[in-house]
């Protein structure tokens, strides 16, 4: 068996068994921690689609994470108040709210990408960072929605036939969505579209000479990535029952990038392992000191120096890239 798929199988098997492990150990915190990990993994995989395959270093993806969370929180807020949103009475159905959160994130991603992708390199990084910070301060200024205190969510979005208020059920919902999104992203990167996107990363001038339009491919990937990150934000608001401007802060984009670097860029499965390692380190190190990032920094440096394809690439070998 290919070593890469063996490792992937082990990772998903462990994820499937998490609630059983929590029951055996009588430790519900394990399920809660795993839910947090799965949501962050979904966001990291989405960012890796543009970072690892399109060489687009975006510090703006926290904006989409925040948009997804606030879409859930704002709709819930108006429903609790008995108000309407532009004449719409609102809905608590996940089948409506979550796709809507993805759509709003994708539309914002389209506007951000359309302007940002006219530049490259440091300019692209700074423009995406600026957009994220603009949204952050917009959310802070929305006093009606809690301002910098954030906005509470009274109840999770409902899914017909499922009790999502149960932490185990909600965990499996998040895991299923993450697995489906990973499958979609893997199909994308292995499609002709994905091959063209990789080509721009390797040699943009050659791809242009072959007749490929860089803006069209990069912008499409950026919008898809934004939608996935928006879904992660919607799941986070349901998990934490809370949305705050910190979800859109540029530091959140930095966290997603750290997960990708730890797991391995340009490998759809790498960010999943990276998210687990990052959150595991955070949980372990914060038990010792509040300055846990002082220890995370050297670990990232060591991974970059000695495992250039990340921990997943190091474990899976030369065939780790999708």
């Amino acid at each position: 068996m290919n070593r890469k798929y063996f490792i992937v199988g082990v990772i998903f098997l462990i994820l499937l068994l998490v609630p059983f492990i929590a029951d055996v150990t009588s430790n519900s915190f394990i399920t809660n921690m795993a839910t947090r990990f799965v949501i962050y993994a979904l966001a990291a995989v989405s960012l890796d689609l543009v970072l690892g395959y399109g060489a687009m270093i975006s510090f703006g993806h926290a904006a989409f994470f925040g948009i997804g969370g606030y879409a859930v929180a704002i709709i819930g807020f108006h429903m609790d108040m008995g108000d309407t949103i532009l004449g719409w009475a609102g809905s608590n159905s996940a089948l409506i709210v979550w796709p809507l959160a993805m759509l709003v994130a994708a539309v914002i991603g389209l506007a951000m990408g359309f302007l940002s992708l006219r530049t490259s390199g440091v300019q692209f990084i700074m423009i995406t960072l600026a957009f994220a910070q603009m949204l952050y301060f917009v959310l802070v200024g929305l006093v009606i929605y809690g301002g910098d205190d954030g906005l509470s969510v009274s109840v999770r979005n409902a899914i017909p036939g499922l009790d999502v208020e149960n932490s185990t059920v909600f965990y499996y919902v998040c895991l299923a969505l993450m697995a489906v999104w990973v499958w979609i992203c893997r199909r994308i990167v292995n499609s002709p579209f994905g091959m063209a996107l990789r080509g721009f990363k390797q040699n943009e001038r050659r791809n242009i000479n072959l007749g490929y339009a860089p803006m069209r491919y990069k912008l499409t990937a950026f919008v898809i990535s934004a939608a996935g990150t928006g879904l992660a934000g919607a799941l986070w608001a349901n998990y934490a029952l809370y949305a705050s401007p910190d979800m859109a802060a540029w530091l959140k984009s930095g966290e997603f990038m750290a997960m990708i670097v730890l797991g391995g860029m340009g490998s759809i499965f790498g960010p999943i392992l990276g998210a687990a390692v990052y959150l595991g380190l955070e949980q372990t190190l914060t038990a010792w000191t509040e300055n846990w990032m002082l220890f995370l920094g050297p670990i990232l440096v060591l991974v970059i120096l000695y495992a250039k394809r990340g921990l997943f690439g190091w474990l899976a070998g030369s065939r780790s890239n999708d």
Side-chain angles (χ1 to χ4, degrees):
M1 178 187 288
N2 187 304
R3 192 165 68 177
K4 178 183 76 172
Y5 292 110
F6 174 77
I7 294 170
V8 172
V10 169
I11 291 173
F12 277 95
L13 178 62
I14 293 172
L15 291 175
L16 285 171
L17 295 176
V18 161
F20 299 101
I21 296 171
D23 286 340
V24 170
T25 59
S26 300
N27 188 355
S28 60
F29 174 75
I30 295 176
T31 303
N32 289 331
M33 184 66 185
T35 304
R36 182 185 175 202
F37 148 66
V38 167
I39 294 171
Y40 271 84
L42 197 161
V45 169
S46 300
L47 176 55
D48 190 47
L49 185 64
V50 296
L51 177 62
Y53 293 95
M56 291 175 269
I57 306 174
S58 169
F59 269 95
H61 269 59
F64 311 131
F65 191 69
I67 287 168
Y70 267 87
V72 170
I74 289 173
I75 291 172
F77 172 81
H78 283 282
M79 286 193 64
D80 293 341
M81 297 294 290
D83 297 333
T84 62
I85 307 172
L86 300 176
W88 177 49
S91 173
N92 191 46
S93 172
L95 302 181
I96 295 176
V97 177
W98 295 356
L100 182 61
M102 295 177 71
L103 177 61
V104 174
V107 170
I108 300 297
L110 178 63
M112 184 189 298
F114 182 76
L115 296 173
S116 303
L117 288 168
R118 294 177 179 277
T119 65
S120 61
V122 176
Q123 290 83 3
F124 176 81
I125 296 172
M126 296 308 296
I127 290 178
T128 55
L129 173 61
F131 273 112
Q133 287 303 97
M134 285 169 57
L135 179 69
Y136 169 79
F137 286 110
V138 167
L139 295 177
V140 168
L142 292 176
V143 179
I144 188 175
Y145 299 127
D148 57 2
D149 291 327
L151 186 60
S152 296
V153 178
S154 60
V155 64
R156 286 175 178 162
N157 297 131
I159 299 177
L162 297 176
D163 179 17
V164 292
E165 295 297 330
N166 182 291
S167 58
T168 298
V169 173
F170 183 68
Y171 166 73
Y172 277 123
V173 168
C174 294
L175 178 59
L177 288 173
M178 189 268 281
V180 169
W181 189 250
V182 167
W183 177 79
I184 291 173
C185 289
R186 192 163 181 274
R187 291 295 300 268
I188 290 172
V189 300
N190 288 322
S191 68
F193 171 86
M195 296 298 179
L197 187 65
R198 295 192 209 191
F200 287 115
K201 175 184 176 181
Q202 295 170 359
N203 192 322
E204 183 167 321
R205 181 174 296 178
R206 180 179 61 191
N207 259 30
I208 292 173
N209 290 335
L210 289 173
Y212 294 103
M215 174 62 85
R216 189 191 328 172
Y217 284 89
K218 290 184 177 182
L219 184 57
T220 302
F222 198 87
V223 170
I224 294 171
S225 178
T229 311
L231 174 60
L235 293 177
W236 178 263
N238 277 268
Y239 162 70
L241 295 178
Y242 178 69
S244 74
D246 289 340
M247 293 177 67
W250 71 271
L251 288 173
K252 189 65 66 178
S253 295
E255 289 182 14
F256 297 151
M257 285 194 181
M259 293 172 190
I260 294 171
V261 170
L262 279 170
M265 286 190 293
S267 173
I268 290 298
F269 301 114
I272 301 174
L273 181 60
V277 173
Y278 181 92
L279 294 178
L281 285 171
E282 179 187 16
Q283 193 65 36
T284 303
L285 294 175
T286 49
W288 295 345
T289 175
E290 62 181 13
N291 300 314
W292 63 277
M293 286 193 176
L294 288 173
F295 297 92
L296 178 65
I299 293 172
L300 280 170
V301 171
L302 290 173
V303 170
I304 293 170
L305 290 176
Y306 297 104
K308 294 183 179 180
R309 288 179 290 111
L311 296 176
F312 184 78
W314 177 64
L315 290 171
S318 59
R319 294 175 61 84
S320 60
N321 288 344
D322 291 282

